Amino acid sequence: WTTTAFRAFLSFSMLQAWFPKEGEIWNQPTWFLSALTFSNLTMPAILPRVADLSKVGLRKLFYSLTAVSVLQKLSYSEAARFHMHNISTKRPQYPLIWNLTRFHPFWALIEMTMGIVACREVMLDTPEDKKKPRTNPAVWFVAAYSTLLLRLSGKLDYNDGIVRSTLFVPLYTKFLTAIHRDCVSENPSAIAKFFGSQTMTYLGALAFPMFILHGIIGQIFYKKAIAVKLWGQPMPNAFFPVYLAICLGLSHVVNENFVKSKKVA
């Protein structure tokens, strides 16, 4: 019961992301809320300082934060390589090192600040800046996701942390700033109209509740210890569309009755 009580404390206090061994207890995706809670607490100190920077200063800060993020991923890569070559098992495991890399609150703060810097740079656009020719946001979108496809194909033989910090995050940030500038232009591109459509706006609103709920729902149908007791066995692959529909339906309910609730706000 002491372990259960400790994990309950970490979950309800949003502190689980600080403990790599306990980061995925109970509802695994809520590690993100834990890291986000810490990041939000630092914003009163960070936002005024970012707001004081010029465009040149913002770019320097973005590059510096990217360098810090990449340095940490290189550190993880070296540590993982060491453990992989020095642990005498057929399947070496080093999940705690990866947990420290992917959801530690400090690294979440680094990436969150990168997003804030990108937003601030767009806010400083002058009328002259807005008249300059822009690259279609679709180019940056394709470039960002191409890095993931290359990683999946095995042609980009680097771990996920390296690919994400060196390629995907900078390219996707470029896409987000480009599509914002495109949206407020006189003639938005097709991709801006697509993501701004009513359907995509609705699905975007479901993203957060679905992120929180999908793990719990998935355990009911796919976690062996639970699914065997409820259904006799974990659900087959053919059940996945039903699982997805359940996630969407419950996410809609949570979005309409909780996320949008004035009482919650």
Side-chain angles (χ1 to χ4, degrees):
W1 70 267
T2 55
T3 300
T4 302
F6 177 61
R7 289 181 172 180
F9 167 74
L10 293 180
S11 294
F12 290 117
S13 61
M14 292 294 175
L15 293 174
Q16 66 266 44
W18 290 97
F19 300 83
K21 189 178 179 181
E22 312 293 344
E24 296 181 289
I25 54 175
W26 295 4
N27 186 12
Q28 296 180 358
T30 54
W31 68 259
F32 171 77
L33 293 182
S34 175
L36 184 64
T37 299
F38 165 74
S39 300
N40 284 335
L41 290 174
T42 67
M43 288 301 106
I46 291 176
L47 290 177
R49 288 162 177 77
V50 172
D52 288 339
L53 296 175
S54 64
K55 275 205 168 192
V56 174
L58 290 169
R59 292 193 188 101
K60 289 181 179 178
L61 178 57
F62 186 88
Y63 296 147
S64 298
L65 292 171
T66 300
V68 171
S69 179
V70 171
L71 183 63
Q72 194 273 333
K73 305 309 185 296
L74 290 172
S75 174
Y76 157 74
S77 301
E78 181 66 13
R81 186 176 67 85
F82 172 81
H83 282 270
M84 185 166 55
H85 288 290
N86 289 277
I87 294 179
S88 58
T89 60
K90 293 182 179 180
R91 298 183 62 187
Q93 299 292 326
Y94 36 88
L96 300 189
I97 302 174
W98 177 234
N99 285 355
L100 280 171
T101 297
R102 66 191 179 111
F103 59 58
H104 193 279
F106 179 75
W107 305 118
L109 173 62
I110 292 292
E111 292 194 352
M112 186 171 174
T113 306
M114 289 169 65
I116 291 168
V117 170
C119 291
R120 180 58 179 166
E121 184 184 3
V122 172
M123 292 171 64
L124 295 181
D125 282 352
T126 63
E128 290 73 22
D129 291 329
K130 296 177 181 179
K131 294 177 182 178
K132 295 178 181 179
R134 301 285 182 186
T135 303
N136 191 305
V139 173
W140 299 112
F141 181 82
V142 171
Y145 280 96
S146 292
T147 64
L148 300 185
L149 291 175
L150 286 172
R151 174 70 181 93
L152 290 172
S153 68
K155 294 181 180 180
L156 197 62
D157 191 19
Y158 295 93
N159 63 58
D160 294 338
I162 293 292
V163 173
R164 187 175 185 276
S165 60
T166 59
L167 296 174
F168 182 80
V169 170
L171 288 171
Y172 196 74
T173 302
K174 193 71 176 177
F175 161 67
L176 292 176
T177 55
I179 200 169
H180 172 80
R181 289 179 171 119
D182 190 68
C183 284
V184 298
S185 66
E186 295 181 357
N187 186 28
S189 63
I191 191 171
K193 293 177 181 178
F194 171 73
F195 282 114
S197 65
Q198 186 175 358
T199 299
M200 293 305 294
T201 301
Y202 168 73
L203 291 176
L206 298 185
F208 179 72
M210 190 170 183
F211 175 75
I212 300 300
L213 294 175
H214 81 276
I216 302 173
I217 301 170
Q219 289 186 29
I220 294 173
F221 295 111
Y222 294 106
K223 189 175 180 65
K224 188 174 182 179
I226 298 175
V228 168
K229 291 183 178 181
L230 293 176
W231 322 109
Q233 63 178 3
M235 291 299 176
N237 293 337
F239 182 78
F240 184 78
V242 179
Y243 160 68
L244 181 59
I246 293 172
C247 288
L248 285 170
L250 290 179
S251 297
H252 171 78
V253 173
V254 171
N255 186 57
E256 294 298 321
N257 297 283
F258 181 78
V259 177
K260 290 183 178 180
S261 173
K262 293 182 178 179
K263 293 180 180 180
V264 175

mmCIF file of all heavy atoms in Angstrom, residues 213-215 217-219 221-222 239-248:
data_model
loop_
_atom_site.group_PDB
_atom_site.id
_atom_site.type_symbol
_atom_site.label_atom_id
_atom_site.label_comp_id
_atom_site.label_asym_id
_atom_site.label_seq_id
_atom_site.Cartn_x
_atom_site.Cartn_y
_atom_site.Cartn_z
ATOM 1 N N LEU A 213 -7.105 10.466 -22.628
ATOM 2 C CA LEU A 213 -7.994 9.323 -22.464
ATOM 3 C C LEU A 213 -7.532 8.044 -23.159
ATOM 4 O O LEU A 213 -7.886 6.941 -22.723
ATOM 5 C CB LEU A 213 -9.394 9.677 -22.981
ATOM 6 C CG LEU A 213 -10.173 10.753 -22.217
ATOM 7 C CD1 LEU A 213 -11.472 11.061 -22.944
ATOM 8 C CD2 LEU A 213 -10.456 10.304 -20.793
ATOM 9 N N HIS A 214 -6.774 8.171 -24.228
ATOM 10 C CA HIS A 214 -6.520 6.981 -25.052
ATOM 11 C C HIS A 214 -5.762 5.887 -24.293
ATOM 12 O O HIS A 214 -5.968 4.697 -24.541
ATOM 13 C CB HIS A 214 -5.761 7.360 -26.327
ATOM 14 C CG HIS A 214 -4.282 7.528 -26.132
ATOM 15 N ND1 HIS A 214 -3.715 8.702 -25.674
ATOM 16 C CD2 HIS A 214 -3.250 6.665 -26.332
ATOM 17 C CE1 HIS A 214 -2.406 8.561 -25.607
ATOM 18 N NE2 HIS A 214 -2.087 7.335 -25.997
ATOM 19 N N GLY A 215 -4.901 6.278 -23.363
ATOM 20 C CA GLY A 215 -4.154 5.268 -22.606
ATOM 21 C C GLY A 215 -5.044 4.448 -21.700
ATOM 22 O O GLY A 215 -4.924 3.213 -21.630
ATOM 23 N N ILE A 217 -8.328 4.020 -21.968
ATOM 24 C CA ILE A 217 -9.229 3.203 -22.783
ATOM 25 C C ILE A 217 -8.471 2.023 -23.386
ATOM 26 O O ILE A 217 -8.972 0.892 -23.438
ATOM 27 C CB ILE A 217 -9.874 4.053 -23.893
ATOM 28 C CG1 ILE A 217 -10.666 5.215 -23.277
ATOM 29 C CG2 ILE A 217 -10.789 3.199 -24.769
ATOM 30 C CD1 ILE A 217 -11.133 6.229 -24.286
ATOM 31 N N GLY A 218 -7.255 2.276 -23.817
ATOM 32 C CA GLY A 218 -6.440 1.214 -24.407
ATOM 33 C C GLY A 218 -6.152 0.092 -23.432
ATOM 34 O O GLY A 218 -6.126 -1.086 -23.808
ATOM 35 N N GLN A 219 -5.954 0.430 -22.154
ATOM 36 C CA GLN A 219 -5.698 -0.597 -21.158
ATOM 37 C C GLN A 219 -6.894 -1.521 -20.995
ATOM 38 O O GLN A 219 -6.743 -2.726 -20.784
ATOM 39 C CB GLN A 219 -5.350 0.055 -19.820
ATOM 40 C CG GLN A 219 -3.981 0.726 -19.804
ATOM 41 C CD GLN A 219 -3.610 1.238 -18.433
ATOM 42 O OE1 GLN A 219 -4.029 0.693 -17.427
ATOM 43 N NE2 GLN A 219 -2.821 2.300 -18.396
ATOM 44 N N PHE A 221 -8.951 -2.502 -23.236
ATOM 45 C CA PHE A 221 -9.106 -3.434 -24.353
ATOM 46 C C PHE A 221 -7.841 -4.209 -24.702
ATOM 47 O O PHE A 221 -7.920 -5.306 -25.288
ATOM 48 C CB PHE A 221 -9.578 -2.672 -25.596
ATOM 49 C CG PHE A 221 -10.946 -2.074 -25.444
ATOM 50 C CD1 PHE A 221 -11.114 -0.694 -25.377
ATOM 51 C CD2 PHE A 221 -12.062 -2.875 -25.362
ATOM 52 C CE1 PHE A 221 -12.373 -0.132 -25.240
ATOM 53 C CE2 PHE A 221 -13.333 -2.334 -25.220
ATOM 54 C CZ PHE A 221 -13.495 -0.952 -25.153
ATOM 55 N N TYR A 222 -6.677 -3.672 -24.370
ATOM 56 C CA TYR A 222 -5.436 -4.285 -24.857
ATOM 57 C C TYR A 222 -4.460 -4.716 -23.758
ATOM 58 O O TYR A 222 -3.589 -5.542 -24.037
ATOM 59 C CB TYR A 222 -4.719 -3.321 -25.816
ATOM 60 C CG TYR A 222 -5.491 -3.065 -27.084
ATOM 61 C CD1 TYR A 222 -6.145 -1.854 -27.309
ATOM 62 C CD2 TYR A 222 -5.582 -4.047 -28.072
ATOM 63 C CE1 TYR A 222 -6.856 -1.623 -28.483
ATOM 64 C CE2 TYR A 222 -6.282 -3.838 -29.247
ATOM 65 C CZ TYR A 222 -6.920 -2.613 -29.444
ATOM 66 O OH TYR A 222 -7.632 -2.407 -30.601
ATOM 67 N N PHE A 239 -10.100 -4.885 -34.122
ATOM 68 C CA PHE A 239 -10.915 -4.083 -33.205
ATOM 69 C C PHE A 239 -10.439 -2.628 -33.144
ATOM 70 O O PHE A 239 -11.170 -1.774 -32.640
ATOM 71 C CB PHE A 239 -10.844 -4.696 -31.801
ATOM 72 C CG PHE A 239 -11.680 -3.983 -30.779
ATOM 73 C CD1 PHE A 239 -13.058 -4.175 -30.723
ATOM 74 C CD2 PHE A 239 -11.096 -3.102 -29.864
ATOM 75 C CE1 PHE A 239 -13.836 -3.512 -29.784
ATOM 76 C CE2 PHE A 239 -11.856 -2.440 -28.920
ATOM 77 C CZ PHE A 239 -13.235 -2.650 -28.878
ATOM 78 N N PHE A 240 -9.266 -2.340 -33.697
ATOM 79 C CA PHE A 240 -8.688 -1.010 -33.543
ATOM 80 C C PHE A 240 -9.607 0.127 -34.022
ATOM 81 O O PHE A 240 -9.707 1.159 -33.350
ATOM 82 C CB PHE A 240 -7.340 -0.917 -34.265
ATOM 83 C CG PHE A 240 -6.658 0.408 -34.063
ATOM 84 C CD1 PHE A 240 -5.988 0.686 -32.876
ATOM 85 C CD2 PHE A 240 -6.708 1.390 -35.048
ATOM 86 C CE1 PHE A 240 -5.372 1.909 -32.682
ATOM 87 C CE2 PHE A 240 -6.099 2.613 -34.864
ATOM 88 C CZ PHE A 240 -5.427 2.874 -33.674
ATOM 89 N N PRO A 241 -10.301 0.009 -35.176
ATOM 90 C CA PRO A 241 -11.210 1.088 -35.580
ATOM 91 C C PRO A 241 -12.298 1.361 -34.542
ATOM 92 O O PRO A 241 -12.702 2.509 -34.337
ATOM 93 C CB PRO A 241 -11.813 0.575 -36.893
ATOM 94 C CG PRO A 241 -10.785 -0.359 -37.427
ATOM 95 C CD PRO A 241 -10.196 -1.028 -36.221
ATOM 96 N N VAL A 242 -12.763 0.304 -33.869
ATOM 97 C CA VAL A 242 -13.774 0.480 -32.818
ATOM 98 C C VAL A 242 -13.159 1.226 -31.631
ATOM 99 O O VAL A 242 -13.760 2.132 -31.059
ATOM 100 C CB VAL A 242 -14.325 -0.889 -32.369
ATOM 101 C CG1 VAL A 242 -15.361 -0.706 -31.253
ATOM 102 C CG2 VAL A 242 -14.934 -1.624 -33.545
ATOM 103 N N TYR A 243 -11.948 0.814 -31.272
ATOM 104 C CA TYR A 243 -11.223 1.493 -30.187
ATOM 105 C C TYR A 243 -11.038 2.974 -30.512
ATOM 106 O O TYR A 243 -11.249 3.848 -29.665
ATOM 107 C CB TYR A 243 -9.880 0.813 -29.981
ATOM 108 C CG TYR A 243 -8.854 1.636 -29.257
ATOM 109 C CD1 TYR A 243 -9.006 1.958 -27.903
ATOM 110 C CD2 TYR A 243 -7.712 2.103 -29.917
ATOM 111 C CE1 TYR A 243 -8.053 2.713 -27.234
ATOM 112 C CE2 TYR A 243 -6.763 2.855 -29.256
ATOM 113 C CZ TYR A 243 -6.937 3.157 -27.918
ATOM 114 O OH TYR A 243 -5.998 3.913 -27.260
ATOM 115 N N LEU A 244 -10.673 3.273 -31.751
ATOM 116 C CA LEU A 244 -10.472 4.658 -32.173
ATOM 117 C C LEU A 244 -11.782 5.441 -32.091
ATOM 118 O O LEU A 244 -11.813 6.592 -31.632
ATOM 119 C CB LEU A 244 -9.923 4.697 -33.601
ATOM 120 C CG LEU A 244 -9.644 6.085 -34.184
ATOM 121 C CD1 LEU A 244 -8.630 6.838 -33.340
ATOM 122 C CD2 LEU A 244 -9.141 5.957 -35.626
ATOM 123 N N ALA A 245 -12.885 4.812 -32.505
ATOM 124 C CA ALA A 245 -14.190 5.476 -32.455
ATOM 125 C C ALA A 245 -14.601 5.757 -31.002
ATOM 126 O O ALA A 245 -15.157 6.816 -30.698
ATOM 127 C CB ALA A 245 -15.245 4.605 -33.140
ATOM 128 N N ILE A 246 -14.312 4.822 -30.108
ATOM 129 C CA ILE A 246 -14.614 5.027 -28.685
ATOM 130 C C ILE A 246 -13.804 6.202 -28.137
ATOM 131 O O ILE A 246 -14.317 7.043 -27.397
ATOM 132 C CB ILE A 246 -14.331 3.744 -27.886
ATOM 133 C CG1 ILE A 246 -15.315 2.650 -28.294
ATOM 134 C CG2 ILE A 246 -14.438 4.006 -26.388
ATOM 135 C CD1 ILE A 246 -14.996 1.289 -27.706
ATOM 136 N N CYS A 247 -12.522 6.249 -28.507
ATOM 137 C CA CYS A 247 -11.670 7.358 -28.065
ATOM 138 C C CYS A 247 -12.201 8.695 -28.563
ATOM 139 O O CYS A 247 -12.257 9.673 -27.803
ATOM 140 C CB CYS A 247 -10.239 7.153 -28.568
ATOM 141 S SG CYS A 247 -9.331 5.831 -27.743
ATOM 142 N N LEU A 248 -12.604 8.748 -29.823
ATOM 143 C CA LEU A 248 -13.138 9.985 -30.388
ATOM 144 C C LEU A 248 -14.435 10.393 -29.694
ATOM 145 O O LEU A 248 -14.637 11.560 -29.359
ATOM 146 C CB LEU A 248 -13.379 9.818 -31.890
ATOM 147 C CG LEU A 248 -12.136 9.835 -32.788
ATOM 148 C CD1 LEU A 248 -12.502 9.421 -34.208
ATOM 149 C CD2 LEU A 248 -11.510 11.223 -32.793
#
